[in-house]
Structures are given as structure tokens and as C-alpha cells.
Amino acid sequence: MSDALRTVLAALESDRVLDGPQRLRERIEALDRLDALMPRAGDDALLQHAHTVRQRLEAANALEFEAIRAAIWRGEGRYALGCWRQAAGDDAQCRGDAYDWLDELVGGVLPFAEPDEASPLAPEMVFYQPTPARHVFDLLDRLALTGDDVLVDLGSGLGHVPLLTAICTEACGLGVEIEPAYVASARACAQALRLANAHFALGDAREANFAIGSVFYLYTPFTGTIMRGVLDALRREAVRRVFRVCSFGPCTAVLAAEPWLVGDAAPAADRIAIFRTRA
Ligand SMILES: C[S@@+](CC[C@H](N)C(=O)[O-])C[C@H]1O[C@@H](n2cnc3c(N)ncnc32)[C@H](O)[C@@H]1O
């Protein structure tokens, strides 16, 4: 293991342009490699050397994250994130719910305060887990939202989806979340990024205002009777107007079976599915 760490360190040290702004992805992936190898360094001097290289990479990343946040303050976040989204283009086609370097990038840019401990969830409510960032970007690319759209994330957790919607599009992102600590963190993040088009409502998704969304998103936030109640509320809303409903994870199969929704005949559970209500 120490030989592997030495080889990685030598390669990183010889690559002086690795600190440049275009090399963010490589730095994030190099940090992951160091994280995997450092616990088994077995040598104090080698470990110290690895810490020094690690700090160099983290400092370069912090500068890049700060530059992207500054672009978001200027209302140019979609362009600052755009090049990284394009770099992720092929990955967006990838199946699976694993996290990758793009999640590290989004986590570095979005200034989430560590939320207070979450309360235990009631039966049928699913614990917090964010949608992998490449899927959020894939969703936003496929939705092509305009300034007239309101994307409502039912069970929004820390708010990645509404926040990225507000950063990357003209649309409004609204999160509905039952856990107060997550809502407080999401609101603080929107405020720190000066996003006027990201909002978070504290409450049960069954009591959400279904009249305001043009797109609803569900990353399997609940199951059973809660899911049934929310889908029935959306179906009643669909009698009045057309809108889109998007999903990720196991709940996609539930949505695909709803006769008032039209989408792919056999949507994949590990890529975001987009449905439209029948006119
Ligand atoms: C799988 S996470 C999805 C988080 C977020 N949508 C995302 O993709 O990043 C599910 C979230 O739904 C929330 N949740 C569960 N039941 C809920 C309910 N009845 N009303 C509102 N939020 C709920 C949980 O607290 C959790 O944050």
C-alpha cells in the first residue's frame, strides 16, 4: 500500500499544472485516491507528505469553489457550472445511484451548514439521501425549464434539486420537506448564495400547495399510503391542467403504473424518469 501511495504522490507532485482551474475533476479524483491509500500508509513521514499534497489539492479546490460561488452571486452560476456539467455529459447517461466527483463539486460549492440532528421519521417516510448531482443536471437538461416554471421537490432534504434549479435555470425551485433541520439548512444555503428563486416550505408533502408546480420531483421520499395520498392529490390537480412529474429510484415503478401519467413504457429506476399528465 505504501508503494501505491508513493507512486500516486510522485505523479501528483510532478504535475504542477494540476492546481489549475480546469483540473478540478482530476484533483477531486486524486483526493479520493489519497483518502483510500492514506489510512494504510504505515509510515509517518509518508503520511505527512501525503497530508501536504492533500492540503495543496484542497486549497486549489477551495479557490475554484469560491470562484463558482462568486459567479452564482453575479447570477452567472449556470455558466460557471456549465463547463463541469458538460464534462459530466457522458456520465449523465450512466445508470446507477452511486455518487461521484460531481457530488464533491456540488458539495464544495453549496455552503451547507451541518444540519442539527434529524428527528426520527414516521413509517413510510424515507430517510434523507440526495439525488446524485449528475442525475440532477441530466434532469435540468431534459426539462429545459423557462422562467415560467416552478419545480417542486416533494421531500427536498437539504435542497440540492431546488438550489441547482435556481442556479442553473430561470425557473423557481421550491422544496417541501418535513424535517425542520433540513429546511433551515436549505434556506441558509439559498440566502448565502443570494438565490431569490429558491424557496423551502416546512411541512408534510401531503399538504403541499399542488397548484403552483409546473414540475414535481420525487426521489422516492415516501412509500405506501403517503405516496398514494400525494399521487391522488396530483391526479386531482391534473384534471385542471397539464404538468410534469419526475422521479428517481423505486418510486418510478409506482408512477409508471398511474393511468393519468404518460411516460416511457418501462422507465429505468436508476435514471430520472419524466412523465407528463394526460391532457
Ligand atoms: C430520498 S430523500 C430525497 C431528498 C431530495 N429530494 C434529493 O433528491 O436530494 C427523501 C426526503 O423526503 C423527506 N420526507 C419523507 N417523508 C416526507 C413527507 N411526508 N413530507 C415531506 N418530506 C418528507 C425526508 O425527510 C428526506 O429528506
PDB file of all heavy atoms in Angstrom, residues 121 124-131 153-161 176-179 182 203-206 217-222 226, ligand 1:
ATOM      1  N   LEU A 121     -38.087   9.502  11.512  1.00  0.00           N
ATOM      2  CA  LEU A 121     -39.189   9.645  10.549  1.00  0.00           C
ATOM      3  C   LEU A 121     -40.319   8.667  10.865  1.00  0.00           C
ATOM      4  O   LEU A 121     -40.083   7.575  11.397  1.00  0.00           O
ATOM      5  CB  LEU A 121     -38.676   9.366   9.139  1.00  0.00           C
ATOM      6  CG  LEU A 121     -37.826  10.461   8.502  1.00  0.00           C
ATOM      7  CD1 LEU A 121     -37.185   9.956   7.219  1.00  0.00           C
ATOM      8  CD2 LEU A 121     -38.660  11.706   8.222  1.00  0.00           C
ATOM      9  N   GLU A 124     -43.202   4.751   6.574  1.00  0.00           N
ATOM     10  CA  GLU A 124     -43.444   5.067   5.153  1.00  0.00           C
ATOM     11  C   GLU A 124     -42.690   6.306   4.671  1.00  0.00           C
ATOM     12  O   GLU A 124     -42.737   6.631   3.502  1.00  0.00           O
ATOM     13  CB  GLU A 124     -44.943   5.239   4.832  1.00  0.00           C
ATOM     14  CG  GLU A 124     -45.777   3.994   5.091  1.00  0.00           C
ATOM     15  CD  GLU A 124     -47.209   4.135   4.601  1.00  0.00           C
ATOM     16  OE1 GLU A 124     -47.704   5.271   4.500  1.00  0.00           O
ATOM     17  OE2 GLU A 124     -47.824   3.098   4.307  1.00  0.00           O
ATOM     18  N   MET A 125     -42.016   7.032   5.585  1.00  0.00           N
ATOM     19  CA  MET A 125     -41.228   8.193   5.152  1.00  0.00           C
ATOM     20  C   MET A 125     -39.780   7.731   4.989  1.00  0.00           C
ATOM     21  O   MET A 125     -39.244   7.045   5.856  1.00  0.00           O
ATOM     22  CB  MET A 125     -41.315   9.318   6.180  1.00  0.00           C
ATOM     23  CG  MET A 125     -42.722   9.866   6.323  1.00  0.00           C
ATOM     24  SD  MET A 125     -42.755  11.367   7.301  1.00  0.00           S
ATOM     25  CE  MET A 125     -44.532  11.635   7.427  1.00  0.00           C
ATOM     26  N   VAL A 126     -39.159   8.097   3.874  1.00  0.00           N
ATOM     27  CA  VAL A 126     -37.825   7.581   3.535  1.00  0.00           C
ATOM     28  C   VAL A 126     -36.759   8.573   4.004  1.00  0.00           C
ATOM     29  O   VAL A 126     -36.902   9.784   3.815  1.00  0.00           O
ATOM     30  CB  VAL A 126     -37.721   7.342   2.006  1.00  0.00           C
ATOM     31  CG1 VAL A 126     -36.316   6.911   1.620  1.00  0.00           C
ATOM     32  CG2 VAL A 126     -38.752   6.302   1.569  1.00  0.00           C
ATOM     33  N   PHE A 127     -35.691   8.039   4.589  1.00  0.00           N
ATOM     34  CA  PHE A 127     -34.604   8.876   5.125  1.00  0.00           C
ATOM     35  C   PHE A 127     -33.926   9.686   4.016  1.00  0.00           C
ATOM     36  O   PHE A 127     -34.007   9.346   2.839  1.00  0.00           O
ATOM     37  CB  PHE A 127     -33.578   8.003   5.855  1.00  0.00           C
ATOM     38  CG  PHE A 127     -32.888   7.033   4.938  1.00  0.00           C
ATOM     39  CD1 PHE A 127     -31.711   7.367   4.284  1.00  0.00           C
ATOM     40  CD2 PHE A 127     -33.438   5.763   4.709  1.00  0.00           C
ATOM     41  CE1 PHE A 127     -31.090   6.470   3.426  1.00  0.00           C
ATOM     42  CE2 PHE A 127     -32.811   4.865   3.859  1.00  0.00           C
ATOM     43  CZ  PHE A 127     -31.642   5.217   3.215  1.00  0.00           C
ATOM     44  N   TYR A 128     -33.223  10.710   4.468  1.00  0.00           N
ATOM     45  CA  TYR A 128     -32.582  11.629   3.525  1.00  0.00           C
ATOM     46  C   TYR A 128     -31.390  11.016   2.794  1.00  0.00           C
ATOM     47  O   TYR A 128     -30.522  10.404   3.401  1.00  0.00           O
ATOM     48  CB  TYR A 128     -32.104  12.890   4.256  1.00  0.00           C
ATOM     49  CG  TYR A 128     -31.322  13.789   3.336  1.00  0.00           C
ATOM     50  CD1 TYR A 128     -31.934  14.328   2.214  1.00  0.00           C
ATOM     51  CD2 TYR A 128     -29.976  14.059   3.546  1.00  0.00           C
ATOM     52  CE1 TYR A 128     -31.228  15.126   1.329  1.00  0.00           C
ATOM     53  CE2 TYR A 128     -29.268  14.864   2.673  1.00  0.00           C
ATOM     54  CZ  TYR A 128     -29.897  15.387   1.569  1.00  0.00           C
ATOM     55  OH  TYR A 128     -29.199  16.170   0.692  1.00  0.00           O
ATOM     56  N   GLN A 129     -31.374  11.249   1.532  1.00  0.00           N
ATOM     57  CA  GLN A 129     -30.275  10.855   0.648  1.00  0.00           C
ATOM     58  C   GLN A 129     -30.411  11.753  -0.581  1.00  0.00           C
ATOM     59  O   GLN A 129     -31.495  11.802  -1.173  1.00  0.00           O
ATOM     60  CB  GLN A 129     -30.501   9.396   0.244  1.00  0.00           C
ATOM     61  CG  GLN A 129     -29.274   8.695  -0.216  1.00  0.00           C
ATOM     62  CD  GLN A 129     -29.545   7.204  -0.421  1.00  0.00           C
ATOM     63  OE1 GLN A 129     -30.190   6.570   0.414  1.00  0.00           O
ATOM     64  NE2 GLN A 129     -29.084   6.688  -1.515  1.00  0.00           N
ATOM     65  N   PRO A 130     -29.371  12.493  -0.951  1.00  0.00           N
ATOM     66  CA  PRO A 130     -29.536  13.399  -2.100  1.00  0.00           C
ATOM     67  C   PRO A 130     -29.504  12.670  -3.441  1.00  0.00           C
ATOM     68  O   PRO A 130     -28.824  11.647  -3.572  1.00  0.00           O
ATOM     69  CB  PRO A 130     -28.337  14.346  -1.977  1.00  0.00           C
ATOM     70  CG  PRO A 130     -27.307  13.566  -1.235  1.00  0.00           C
ATOM     71  CD  PRO A 130     -28.033  12.592  -0.330  1.00  0.00           C
ATOM     72  N   THR A 131     -30.187  13.197  -4.414  1.00  0.00           N
ATOM     73  CA  THR A 131     -30.073  12.694  -5.788  1.00  0.00           C
ATOM     74  C   THR A 131     -28.640  12.948  -6.264  1.00  0.00           C
ATOM     75  O   THR A 131     -28.140  14.077  -6.137  1.00  0.00           O
ATOM     76  CB  THR A 131     -31.030  13.455  -6.726  1.00  0.00           C
ATOM     77  OG1 THR A 131     -32.360  13.327  -6.230  1.00  0.00           O
ATOM     78  CG2 THR A 131     -30.955  12.933  -8.145  1.00  0.00           C
ATOM     79  N   ASP A 153     -39.813  20.066  -5.414  1.00  0.00           N
ATOM     80  CA  ASP A 153     -39.209  18.809  -4.959  1.00  0.00           C
ATOM     81  C   ASP A 153     -39.958  18.387  -3.694  1.00  0.00           C
ATOM     82  O   ASP A 153     -39.859  19.041  -2.649  1.00  0.00           O
ATOM     83  CB  ASP A 153     -37.720  19.042  -4.675  1.00  0.00           C
ATOM     84  CG  ASP A 153     -37.002  17.754  -4.272  1.00  0.00           C
ATOM     85  OD1 ASP A 153     -37.643  16.686  -4.264  1.00  0.00           O
ATOM     86  OD2 ASP A 153     -35.788  17.840  -3.970  1.00  0.00           O
ATOM     87  N   LEU A 154     -40.722  17.299  -3.806  1.00  0.00           N
ATOM     88  CA  LEU A 154     -41.525  16.816  -2.670  1.00  0.00           C
ATOM     89  C   LEU A 154     -40.641  15.913  -1.808  1.00  0.00           C
ATOM     90  O   LEU A 154     -40.298  14.815  -2.215  1.00  0.00           O
ATOM     91  CB  LEU A 154     -42.759  16.078  -3.195  1.00  0.00           C
ATOM     92  CG  LEU A 154     -43.754  16.958  -3.976  1.00  0.00           C
ATOM     93  CD1 LEU A 154     -44.764  16.104  -4.740  1.00  0.00           C
ATOM     94  CD2 LEU A 154     -44.474  17.924  -3.040  1.00  0.00           C
ATOM     95  N   GLY A 155     -40.258  16.403  -0.650  1.00  0.00           N
ATOM     96  CA  GLY A 155     -39.283  15.711   0.185  1.00  0.00           C
ATOM     97  C   GLY A 155     -37.902  16.159  -0.258  1.00  0.00           C
ATOM     98  O   GLY A 155     -37.138  15.387  -0.844  1.00  0.00           O
ATOM     99  N   SER A 156     -37.563  17.432   0.003  1.00  0.00           N
ATOM    100  CA  SER A 156     -36.396  18.047  -0.652  1.00  0.00           C
ATOM    101  C   SER A 156     -35.096  17.899   0.122  1.00  0.00           C
ATOM    102  O   SER A 156     -34.045  18.309  -0.374  1.00  0.00           O
ATOM    103  CB  SER A 156     -36.680  19.531  -0.907  1.00  0.00           C
ATOM    104  OG  SER A 156     -37.141  20.157   0.269  1.00  0.00           O
ATOM    105  N   GLY A 157     -35.133  17.354   1.343  1.00  0.00           N
ATOM    106  CA  GLY A 157     -33.899  17.173   2.099  1.00  0.00           C
ATOM    107  C   GLY A 157     -33.143  18.477   2.265  1.00  0.00           C
ATOM    108  O   GLY A 157     -33.718  19.508   2.619  1.00  0.00           O
ATOM    109  N   LEU A 158     -31.838  18.459   1.999  1.00  0.00           N
ATOM    110  CA  LEU A 158     -31.011  19.667   2.137  1.00  0.00           C
ATOM    111  C   LEU A 158     -31.207  20.634   0.967  1.00  0.00           C
ATOM    112  O   LEU A 158     -30.641  21.729   0.977  1.00  0.00           O
ATOM    113  CB  LEU A 158     -29.542  19.293   2.247  1.00  0.00           C
ATOM    114  CG  LEU A 158     -29.127  18.633   3.567  1.00  0.00           C
ATOM    115  CD1 LEU A 158     -27.647  18.261   3.530  1.00  0.00           C
ATOM    116  CD2 LEU A 158     -29.393  19.553   4.755  1.00  0.00           C
ATOM    117  N   GLY A 159     -31.967  20.226  -0.037  1.00  0.00           N
ATOM    118  CA  GLY A 159     -32.375  21.182  -1.064  1.00  0.00           C
ATOM    119  C   GLY A 159     -31.554  21.212  -2.337  1.00  0.00           C
ATOM    120  O   GLY A 159     -31.657  22.165  -3.117  1.00  0.00           O
ATOM    121  N   HIS A 160     -30.746  20.178  -2.597  1.00  0.00           N
ATOM    122  CA  HIS A 160     -29.893  20.199  -3.807  1.00  0.00           C
ATOM    123  C   HIS A 160     -30.699  20.502  -5.074  1.00  0.00           C
ATOM    124  O   HIS A 160     -30.256  21.281  -5.913  1.00  0.00           O
ATOM    125  CB  HIS A 160     -29.220  18.840  -4.016  1.00  0.00           C
ATOM    126  CG  HIS A 160     -28.153  18.533  -3.021  1.00  0.00           C
ATOM    127  ND1 HIS A 160     -28.414  18.208  -1.715  1.00  0.00           N
ATOM    128  CD2 HIS A 160     -26.812  18.496  -3.157  1.00  0.00           C
ATOM    129  CE1 HIS A 160     -27.271  17.981  -1.087  1.00  0.00           C
ATOM    130  NE2 HIS A 160     -26.285  18.151  -1.935  1.00  0.00           N
ATOM    131  N   VAL A 161     -31.848  19.837  -5.222  1.00  0.00           N
ATOM    132  CA  VAL A 161     -32.571  19.949  -6.503  1.00  0.00           C
ATOM    133  C   VAL A 161     -33.135  21.367  -6.691  1.00  0.00           C
ATOM    134  O   VAL A 161     -32.872  22.005  -7.727  1.00  0.00           O
ATOM    135  CB  VAL A 161     -33.651  18.847  -6.629  1.00  0.00           C
ATOM    136  CG1 VAL A 161     -34.431  18.996  -7.933  1.00  0.00           C
ATOM    137  CG2 VAL A 161     -33.001  17.467  -6.555  1.00  0.00           C
ATOM    138  N   VAL A 176     -40.214  21.080  -0.515  1.00  0.00           N
ATOM    139  CA  VAL A 176     -41.153  20.824   0.580  1.00  0.00           C
ATOM    140  C   VAL A 176     -40.539  19.692   1.397  1.00  0.00           C
ATOM    141  O   VAL A 176     -40.246  18.623   0.846  1.00  0.00           O
ATOM    142  CB  VAL A 176     -42.544  20.399   0.049  1.00  0.00           C
ATOM    143  CG1 VAL A 176     -43.505  20.136   1.208  1.00  0.00           C
ATOM    144  CG2 VAL A 176     -43.110  21.452  -0.889  1.00  0.00           C
ATOM    145  N   GLU A 177     -40.315  19.932   2.674  1.00  0.00           N
ATOM    146  CA  GLU A 177     -39.586  18.957   3.480  1.00  0.00           C
ATOM    147  C   GLU A 177     -40.148  18.932   4.897  1.00  0.00           C
ATOM    148  O   GLU A 177     -40.454  19.978   5.460  1.00  0.00           O
ATOM    149  CB  GLU A 177     -38.093  19.329   3.478  1.00  0.00           C
ATOM    150  CG  GLU A 177     -37.219  18.598   4.453  1.00  0.00           C
ATOM    151  CD  GLU A 177     -37.182  17.081   4.271  1.00  0.00           C
ATOM    152  OE1 GLU A 177     -36.970  16.596   3.150  1.00  0.00           O
ATOM    153  OE2 GLU A 177     -37.389  16.385   5.298  1.00  0.00           O
ATOM    154  N   ILE A 178     -40.249  17.734   5.453  1.00  0.00           N
ATOM    155  CA  ILE A 178     -40.868  17.570   6.776  1.00  0.00           C
ATOM    156  C   ILE A 178     -39.875  17.773   7.927  1.00  0.00           C
ATOM    157  O   ILE A 178     -40.285  18.018   9.054  1.00  0.00           O
ATOM    158  CB  ILE A 178     -41.542  16.184   6.857  1.00  0.00           C
ATOM    159  CG1 ILE A 178     -42.623  16.194   7.939  1.00  0.00           C
ATOM    160  CG2 ILE A 178     -40.523  15.061   7.060  1.00  0.00           C
ATOM    161  CD1 ILE A 178     -43.679  15.141   7.756  1.00  0.00           C
ATOM    162  N   GLU A 179     -38.579  17.687   7.623  1.00  0.00           N
ATOM    163  CA  GLU A 179     -37.571  17.782   8.687  1.00  0.00           C
ATOM    164  C   GLU A 179     -37.094  19.238   8.843  1.00  0.00           C
ATOM    165  O   GLU A 179     -36.455  19.787   7.940  1.00  0.00           O
ATOM    166  CB  GLU A 179     -36.395  16.856   8.331  1.00  0.00           C
ATOM    167  CG  GLU A 179     -35.173  16.998   9.197  1.00  0.00           C
ATOM    168  CD  GLU A 179     -35.464  16.932  10.690  1.00  0.00           C
ATOM    169  OE1 GLU A 179     -36.108  15.970  11.128  1.00  0.00           O
ATOM    170  OE2 GLU A 179     -35.050  17.860  11.421  1.00  0.00           O
ATOM    171  N   TYR A 182     -33.381  20.253   8.037  1.00  0.00           N
ATOM    172  CA  TYR A 182     -33.016  20.299   6.617  1.00  0.00           C
ATOM    173  C   TYR A 182     -33.531  21.589   5.969  1.00  0.00           C
ATOM    174  O   TYR A 182     -32.847  22.205   5.147  1.00  0.00           O
ATOM    175  CB  TYR A 182     -33.591  19.094   5.862  1.00  0.00           C
ATOM    176  CG  TYR A 182     -33.069  17.752   6.319  1.00  0.00           C
ATOM    177  CD1 TYR A 182     -33.752  16.591   6.026  1.00  0.00           C
ATOM    178  CD2 TYR A 182     -31.873  17.645   7.034  1.00  0.00           C
ATOM    179  CE1 TYR A 182     -33.285  15.349   6.436  1.00  0.00           C
ATOM    180  CE2 TYR A 182     -31.401  16.410   7.443  1.00  0.00           C
ATOM    181  CZ  TYR A 182     -32.112  15.256   7.149  1.00  0.00           C
ATOM    182  OH  TYR A 182     -31.653  14.045   7.556  1.00  0.00           O
ATOM    183  N   GLY A 203     -43.024  21.199   5.969  1.00  0.00           N
ATOM    184  CA  GLY A 203     -44.321  20.554   6.135  1.00  0.00           C
ATOM    185  C   GLY A 203     -44.366  19.194   5.472  1.00  0.00           C
ATOM    186  O   GLY A 203     -43.400  18.747   4.848  1.00  0.00           O
ATOM    187  N   ASP A 204     -45.515  18.581   5.612  1.00  0.00           N
ATOM    188  CA  ASP A 204     -45.752  17.256   5.033  1.00  0.00           C
ATOM    189  C   ASP A 204     -46.134  17.441   3.561  1.00  0.00           C
ATOM    190  O   ASP A 204     -46.995  18.275   3.243  1.00  0.00           O
ATOM    191  CB  ASP A 204     -46.895  16.582   5.810  1.00  0.00           C
ATOM    192  CG  ASP A 204     -46.993  15.103   5.477  1.00  0.00           C
ATOM    193  OD1 ASP A 204     -46.995  14.755   4.277  1.00  0.00           O
ATOM    194  OD2 ASP A 204     -47.076  14.302   6.417  1.00  0.00           O
ATOM    195  N   ALA A 205     -45.515  16.654   2.704  1.00  0.00           N
ATOM    196  CA  ALA A 205     -45.783  16.766   1.257  1.00  0.00           C
ATOM    197  C   ALA A 205     -47.267  16.549   0.950  1.00  0.00           C
ATOM    198  O   ALA A 205     -47.768  17.078  -0.042  1.00  0.00           O
ATOM    199  CB  ALA A 205     -44.935  15.762   0.496  1.00  0.00           C
ATOM    200  N   ARG A 206     -47.976  15.806   1.796  1.00  0.00           N
ATOM    201  CA  ARG A 206     -49.414  15.597   1.535  1.00  0.00           C
ATOM    202  C   ARG A 206     -50.189  16.896   1.618  1.00  0.00           C
ATOM    203  O   ARG A 206     -51.273  17.011   1.068  1.00  0.00           O
ATOM    204  CB  ARG A 206     -49.997  14.573   2.532  1.00  0.00           C
ATOM    205  CG  ARG A 206     -49.598  13.163   2.232  1.00  0.00           C
ATOM    206  CD  ARG A 206     -49.955  12.223   3.348  1.00  0.00           C
ATOM    207  NE  ARG A 206     -49.082  12.406   4.525  1.00  0.00           N
ATOM    208  CZ  ARG A 206     -49.042  11.573   5.567  1.00  0.00           C
ATOM    209  NH1 ARG A 206     -49.815  10.510   5.581  1.00  0.00           N
ATOM    210  NH2 ARG A 206     -48.216  11.797   6.568  1.00  0.00           N
ATOM    211  N   TYR A 217     -41.039  16.788  -8.493  1.00  0.00           N
ATOM    212  CA  TYR A 217     -39.948  15.805  -8.488  1.00  0.00           C
ATOM    213  C   TYR A 217     -40.014  14.985  -7.205  1.00  0.00           C
ATOM    214  O   TYR A 217     -40.213  15.545  -6.118  1.00  0.00           O
ATOM    215  CB  TYR A 217     -38.592  16.518  -8.587  1.00  0.00           C
ATOM    216  CG  TYR A 217     -37.430  15.566  -8.454  1.00  0.00           C
ATOM    217  CD1 TYR A 217     -37.210  14.577  -9.407  1.00  0.00           C
ATOM    218  CD2 TYR A 217     -36.561  15.637  -7.366  1.00  0.00           C
ATOM    219  CE1 TYR A 217     -36.161  13.677  -9.278  1.00  0.00           C
ATOM    220  CE2 TYR A 217     -35.502  14.749  -7.237  1.00  0.00           C
ATOM    221  CZ  TYR A 217     -35.311  13.765  -8.201  1.00  0.00           C
ATOM    222  OH  TYR A 217     -34.277  12.872  -8.071  1.00  0.00           O
ATOM    223  N   LEU A 218     -39.846  13.683  -7.354  1.00  0.00           N
ATOM    224  CA  LEU A 218     -39.831  12.790  -6.189  1.00  0.00           C
ATOM    225  C   LEU A 218     -38.658  11.826  -6.282  1.00  0.00           C
ATOM    226  O   LEU A 218     -38.602  11.013  -7.225  1.00  0.00           O
ATOM    227  CB  LEU A 218     -41.128  11.965  -6.105  1.00  0.00           C
ATOM    228  CG  LEU A 218     -42.440  12.722  -5.995  1.00  0.00           C
ATOM    229  CD1 LEU A 218     -43.194  12.673  -7.324  1.00  0.00           C
ATOM    230  CD2 LEU A 218     -43.318  12.136  -4.897  1.00  0.00           C
ATOM    231  N   TYR A 219     -37.713  11.919  -5.363  1.00  0.00           N
ATOM    232  CA  TYR A 219     -36.682  10.894  -5.234  1.00  0.00           C
ATOM    233  C   TYR A 219     -37.165   9.970  -4.112  1.00  0.00           C
ATOM    234  O   TYR A 219     -36.768  10.086  -2.971  1.00  0.00           O
ATOM    235  CB  TYR A 219     -35.322  11.513  -4.919  1.00  0.00           C
ATOM    236  CG  TYR A 219     -34.206  10.493  -4.691  1.00  0.00           C
ATOM    237  CD1 TYR A 219     -34.343   9.153  -5.066  1.00  0.00           C
ATOM    238  CD2 TYR A 219     -33.004  10.884  -4.122  1.00  0.00           C
ATOM    239  CE1 TYR A 219     -33.326   8.234  -4.856  1.00  0.00           C
ATOM    240  CE2 TYR A 219     -31.975   9.968  -3.904  1.00  0.00           C
ATOM    241  CZ  TYR A 219     -32.148   8.650  -4.270  1.00  0.00           C
ATOM    242  OH  TYR A 219     -31.143   7.735  -4.053  1.00  0.00           O
ATOM    243  N   THR A 220     -38.089   9.118  -4.466  1.00  0.00           N
ATOM    244  CA  THR A 220     -38.680   8.136  -3.546  1.00  0.00           C
ATOM    245  C   THR A 220     -38.669   8.629  -2.092  1.00  0.00           C
ATOM    246  O   THR A 220     -38.004   8.041  -1.239  1.00  0.00           O
ATOM    247  CB  THR A 220     -37.957   6.780  -3.686  1.00  0.00           C
ATOM    248  OG1 THR A 220     -37.816   6.476  -5.076  1.00  0.00           O
ATOM    249  CG2 THR A 220     -38.758   5.660  -3.030  1.00  0.00           C
ATOM    250  N   PRO A 221     -39.436   9.700  -1.817  1.00  0.00           N
ATOM    251  CA  PRO A 221     -39.380  10.283  -0.470  1.00  0.00           C
ATOM    252  C   PRO A 221     -40.260   9.547   0.535  1.00  0.00           C
ATOM    253  O   PRO A 221     -40.049   9.664   1.741  1.00  0.00           O
ATOM    254  CB  PRO A 221     -39.906  11.705  -0.673  1.00  0.00           C
ATOM    255  CG  PRO A 221     -40.743  11.623  -1.911  1.00  0.00           C
ATOM    256  CD  PRO A 221     -40.252  10.496  -2.737  1.00  0.00           C
ATOM    257  N   PHE A 222     -41.242   8.811   0.020  1.00  0.00           N
ATOM    258  CA  PHE A 222     -42.150   8.067   0.893  1.00  0.00           C
ATOM    259  C   PHE A 222     -42.744   6.920   0.095  1.00  0.00           C
ATOM    260  O   PHE A 222     -42.568   6.835  -1.123  1.00  0.00           O
ATOM    261  CB  PHE A 222     -43.266   8.972   1.461  1.00  0.00           C
ATOM    262  CG  PHE A 222     -43.568  10.174   0.616  1.00  0.00           C
ATOM    263  CD1 PHE A 222     -44.224  10.023  -0.605  1.00  0.00           C
ATOM    264  CD2 PHE A 222     -43.182  11.448   0.994  1.00  0.00           C
ATOM    265  CE1 PHE A 222     -44.488  11.113  -1.409  1.00  0.00           C
ATOM    266  CE2 PHE A 222     -43.436  12.557   0.185  1.00  0.00           C
ATOM    267  CZ  PHE A 222     -44.096  12.387  -1.012  1.00  0.00           C
ATOM    268  N   ILE A 226     -48.712   7.129   2.088  1.00  0.00           N
ATOM    269  CA  ILE A 226     -48.312   8.545   1.895  1.00  0.00           C
ATOM    270  C   ILE A 226     -48.134   8.805   0.404  1.00  0.00           C
ATOM    271  O   ILE A 226     -48.635   9.802  -0.135  1.00  0.00           O
ATOM    272  CB  ILE A 226     -47.012   8.878   2.659  1.00  0.00           C
ATOM    273  CG1 ILE A 226     -47.168   8.573   4.145  1.00  0.00           C
ATOM    274  CG2 ILE A 226     -46.634  10.338   2.438  1.00  0.00           C
ATOM    275  CD1 ILE A 226     -45.950   8.902   4.992  1.00  0.00           C
TER     276      ILE A 226
HETATM  277  C1  LIG B   1     -34.591  10.248  -0.532  1.00  0.00           C
HETATM  278  S1  LIG B   1     -34.604  11.848   0.226  1.00  0.00           S
HETATM  279  C2  LIG B   1     -34.697  12.888  -1.204  1.00  0.00           C
HETATM  280  C3  LIG B   1     -34.057  14.251  -0.997  1.00  0.00           C
HETATM  281  C4  LIG B   1     -34.108  15.207  -2.177  1.00  0.00           C
HETATM  282  N1  LIG B   1     -35.361  15.153  -2.889  1.00  0.00           N
HETATM  283  C5  LIG B   1     -32.990  14.967  -3.149  1.00  0.00           C
HETATM  284  O1  LIG B   1     -33.229  14.281  -4.139  1.00  0.00           O
HETATM  285  O2  LIG B   1     -31.863  15.437  -2.957  1.00  0.00           O
HETATM  286  C6  LIG B   1     -36.280  11.877   0.884  1.00  0.00           C
HETATM  287  C7  LIG B   1     -36.606  13.114   1.718  1.00  0.00           C
HETATM  288  O3  LIG B   1     -38.029  13.158   1.895  1.00  0.00           O
HETATM  289  C8  LIG B   1     -38.313  13.639   3.205  1.00  0.00           C
HETATM  290  N2  LIG B   1     -39.685  13.201   3.542  1.00  0.00           N
HETATM  291  C9  LIG B   1     -40.090  11.963   3.872  1.00  0.00           C
HETATM  292  N3  LIG B   1     -41.425  11.949   4.079  1.00  0.00           N
HETATM  293  C10 LIG B   1     -41.880  13.219   3.862  1.00  0.00           C
HETATM  294  C11 LIG B   1     -43.168  13.840   3.899  1.00  0.00           C
HETATM  295  N4  LIG B   1     -44.269  13.143   4.196  1.00  0.00           N
HETATM  296  N5  LIG B   1     -43.261  15.139   3.603  1.00  0.00           N
HETATM  297  C12 LIG B   1     -42.144  15.865   3.283  1.00  0.00           C
HETATM  298  N6  LIG B   1     -40.902  15.346   3.255  1.00  0.00           N
HETATM  299  C13 LIG B   1     -40.767  14.023   3.522  1.00  0.00           C
HETATM  300  C14 LIG B   1     -37.202  13.030   4.058  1.00  0.00           C
HETATM  301  O4  LIG B   1     -37.026  13.746   5.261  1.00  0.00           O
HETATM  302  C15 LIG B   1     -35.993  13.146   3.111  1.00  0.00           C
HETATM  303  O5  LIG B   1     -35.322  14.362   3.305  1.00  0.00           O
END
